[in-house]
Amino acid sequence: ESLDDSQVAGVRATEEVIRYEYHVIYSSSYQVPVLYFRACFLDGRPLTLDEIWKSVHACYQARLLEGPWDTITQQEHPLLGQPFFVLHPCRTNEFMSSILTSSQKHNRHTNYIILWLSIVGPVVGLNLPLSYAKLAPEQNTTADSV
Amino acid sequence: MTDDKDVLRDVWFGRIPTCFTLYQDEITEREAEPYYLLLPRVSYLTLVTDKVKKHFQKVMRQEEATEIWFEYEGTPLKWHYPIGLLFDLHASNTALPWSITVHFKNFPEKDLLHCHSKDVIEAHFMACIKEADALKHKSQVINEMQKKDHKQLWMGLQNDKFEQFWAINRKLMEYPPEDSGFRYIPFRIYQATTERPFIQKLFRPIASGGQLHTLGDLLKDVCPGAIAPEDGEQKTQVMIHGIEPMLETPIQWLSEHMSYPDNFLHISIIPRPTD
């Protein structure tokens, strides 16, 4: 039996539109990119850490809870000086180097930023379209051909 | 001749006499008296102001426990900056006591990080120490330490225990005998006049020829506009822990002796008073 109009409207009323803002910033201390983000409702009210946390998919939550260094925290944006949420960068080298090594073994061309963002982005609601992965090597940034 | 270790004590035990006043628009049942406190320069506002909070909550109407925040002359004070840095940056050339206004309403979401518990302060403090060691030792020293050592750093700060803190922190101040210093110096330079909150860059303590880089070398390299040329009029002060170290001071020595407990050198560049 199909849903009638009122039931569909009832479901929609509990959904909220949230505006996310993502910044990728290079950390000279850890020498890796770091994902900063913030989110607010359409009326401008910012999401709290609790609300951000609830929007993280359950399958990622367990992984994030494993260690204090991998959690989402509120940090000051190093250029804007405003509060943002951040995924701590100190494990980035670990997971990136193992992927990059295996890519090299299979002679696969990689773009560091796309690779990195496709891993950390989805945790916080940023899903890269597959078309990024299909970019031919010549279309990648010059940085990764060095 | 002062021993270098005396500098560590002087830095740790630095205090700023402060007067806390409740914001006039906060609703109270009776008049709120100001609260006086000596603030540790090396600690954080939300770590040392439990008594301030209790004092003002006593005169306020019983409302839901809302988050305390502090402001100086209209500027919200970032609790995640060490107290001494906040004072040097915003109020160092004004009369003591430092007058801070206390708020419980209208938390400035766009300016301040939330601080709902001591755990948040601990996480921030440890993250700074970790980042400093990434710069100094590629994280080798901090990662080799046990959880209880990390805990001891935090407890030392929280309980104002110099010996307890330095028993562990001294390991973070060592370097291999074959090197003359750290890999890079953990530092941040602050200027109240810029939109950018601070400048932080990679900077080596030793030059390629083996000479020790100085504070002056750091400033010339990282923010050349901040200090005037030697023969020019010095319009700014370069301040750490309330003093102006000589620009000839080796930056390696400053890093070992005048870092904050988070292992960073927090340097303020402020206008020189004209009197």
Side-chain angles (χ1 to χ4, degrees):
Chain A
E1 242 185 276
S2 58
L3 290 168
D4 67 16
D5 281 351
S6 62
Q7 282 177 291
V8 173
V11 168
R12 291 226 178 101
T14 61
E15 289 174 6
E16 289 258 21
V17 178
I18 297 172
R19 190 166 158 265
Y20 279 80
E21 190 183 333
Y22 297 93
H23 295 215
V24 175
I25 301 191
Y26 180 72
S27 161
S28 54
S29 303
Y30 290 104
Q31 303 190 341
V32 291
V34 183
L35 187 60
Y36 285 73
F37 65 99
R38 59 183 175 187
C40 57
F41 297 98
L42 285 183
D43 61 4
R45 179 169 69 86
L47 267 72
T48 63
L49 182 55
D50 262 350
E51 286 164 329
I52 293 277
W53 181 251
K54 286 197 178 82
S55 69
V56 172
H57 197 284
C59 67
Y60 294 118
Q61 281 187 4
R63 176 74 187 90
L64 288 180
L65 286 171
E66 260 170 46
W69 308 126
D70 283 327
T71 197
I72 297 171
T73 55
Q74 213 190 14
Q75 304 283 338
E76 178 182 45
H77 190 291
L79 299 171
L80 301 177
Q82 294 173 12
F84 272 70
F85 293 107
V86 186
L87 273 180
H88 203 274
C90 72
R91 288 262 164 88
T92 304
N93 266 325
E94 253 179 65
F95 66 75
M96 285 304 292
S97 55
S98 57
I99 296 166
L100 287 169
T101 323
S102 91
S103 272
Q104 276 160 27
K105 270 197 210 137
H106 294 97
N107 267 320
R108 249 178 293 169
H109 210 80
T110 54
N111 176 302
Y112 186 100
I113 289 291
I114 290 175
L115 198 55
W116 166 80
L117 198 52
S118 67
I119 295 168
V120 300
V123 180
V124 292
L126 179 62
N127 294 298
L128 278 189
L130 273 177
S131 51
Y132 278 89
K134 292 177 191 162
L135 284 174
E138 313 84 67
Q139 289 170 300
N140 284 338
T141 59
T142 51
D144 90 300
S145 55
V146 167
Chain B
M1 185 69 175
T2 317
D3 194 41
D4 279 358
K5 286 203 173 61
D6 291 340
V7 175
L8 301 182
R9 280 190 175 273
D10 288 343
V11 166
W12 181 272
F13 291 107
R15 296 288 187 264
I16 297 170
T18 309
C19 172
F20 289 92
T21 310
L22 187 64
Y23 183 57
Q24 62 209 21
D25 286 2
E26 299 279 343
I27 302 161
T28 59
E29 297 191 332
R30 50 188 186 280
E31 174 126 14
E33 295 277 311
Y35 191 89
Y36 292 83
L37 193 59
L38 282 173
L39 296 179
R41 273 182 162 276
V42 299
S43 191
Y44 301 94
L45 278 172
T46 45
L47 189 56
V48 298
T49 50
D50 282 344
K51 288 191 176 143
V52 177
K53 189 173 171 189
K54 284 198 182 83
H55 168 84
F56 289 114
Q57 281 180 329
K58 264 189 266 177
V59 303
M60 288 173 65
R61 249 193 254 143
Q62 287 302 317
E63 288 166 24
E64 38 168 291
T66 43
E67 194 174 348
I68 194 173
W69 60 279
F70 305 98
E71 161 249 307
Y72 173 70
E73 295 197 338
T75 304
L77 294 175
K78 297 180 180 182
W79 66 263
H80 70 286
Y81 285 7
I83 291 167
L85 167 62
L86 290 170
F87 180 78
D88 289 345
L89 196 56
H90 298 300
S92 61
N93 291 308
T94 63
L96 295 173
W98 187 20
S99 293
I100 292 182
T101 307
V102 178
H103 293 256
F104 287 93
K105 288 200 180 60
N106 299 317
F107 190 89
E109 301 279 351
K110 286 232 150 54
D111 300 298
L112 299 183
L113 303 182
H114 282 285
C115 188
H116 294 302
S117 72
K118 299 278 187 289
D119 292 344
V120 177
I121 313 173
E122 181 180 1
H124 165 69
F125 176 67
M126 292 312 300
C128 291
I129 289 187
K130 209 169 199 292
E131 184 179 349
D133 203 58
L135 288 166
K136 289 198 274 186
H137 304 116
K138 290 200 226 183
S139 304
Q140 278 159 9
V141 178
I142 195 74
N143 285 343
E144 266 166 23
M145 283 184 186
Q146 298 174 335
K147 266 199 162 64
K148 68 175 172 75
D149 293 335
H150 293 174
K151 211 54 175 175
Q152 188 167 332
L153 289 169
W154 166 246
M155 296 306 289
L157 177 72
Q158 188 179 20
N159 301 324
D160 192 24
K161 295 272 190 265
F162 175 83
E163 301 289 352
Q164 186 186 25
F165 177 79
W166 273 98
I168 307 297
N169 200 51
R170 62 174 184 81
K171 298 184 209 166
L172 295 170
M173 293 301 179
E174 290 167 352
Y175 46 87
E178 59 269 20
D179 300 336
S180 316
F182 304 136
R183 183 163 189 249
Y184 297 108
I185 298 291
F187 73 90
R188 286 190 180 152
I189 298 177
Y190 304 79
Q191 282 177 271
T193 50
T194 59
E195 184 193 297
R196 187 173 177 172
F198 55 80
I199 299 171
Q200 181 180 345
K201 291 197 180 141
L202 295 179
F203 187 81
R204 291 197 188 275
I206 318 286
S208 46
Q211 324 92 286
L212 293 169
H213 276 139
T214 65
L215 176 59
D217 292 333
L218 173 71
L219 293 168
K220 265 186 235 144
D221 190 63
V222 164
C223 53
I227 47 168
E230 273 140 36
D231 51 336
E233 192 195 318
Q234 207 57 252
K235 290 211 172 80
T236 59
Q237 287 180 300
V238 178
M239 192 164 287
I240 313 178
H241 295 297
I243 63 160
E244 289 183 77
M246 291 172 62
L247 296 180
E248 293 84 2
T249 315
I251 198 75
Q252 175 65 29
W253 186 92
L254 280 172
S255 184
E256 289 175 48
H257 296 86
M258 292 191 70
S259 289
Y260 281 73
D262 65 3
N263 278 232
F264 270 82
L265 273 172
H266 296 287
I267 303 167
S268 300
I269 299 186
I270 53 177
R272 183 173 293 278
T274 46
D275 58 58

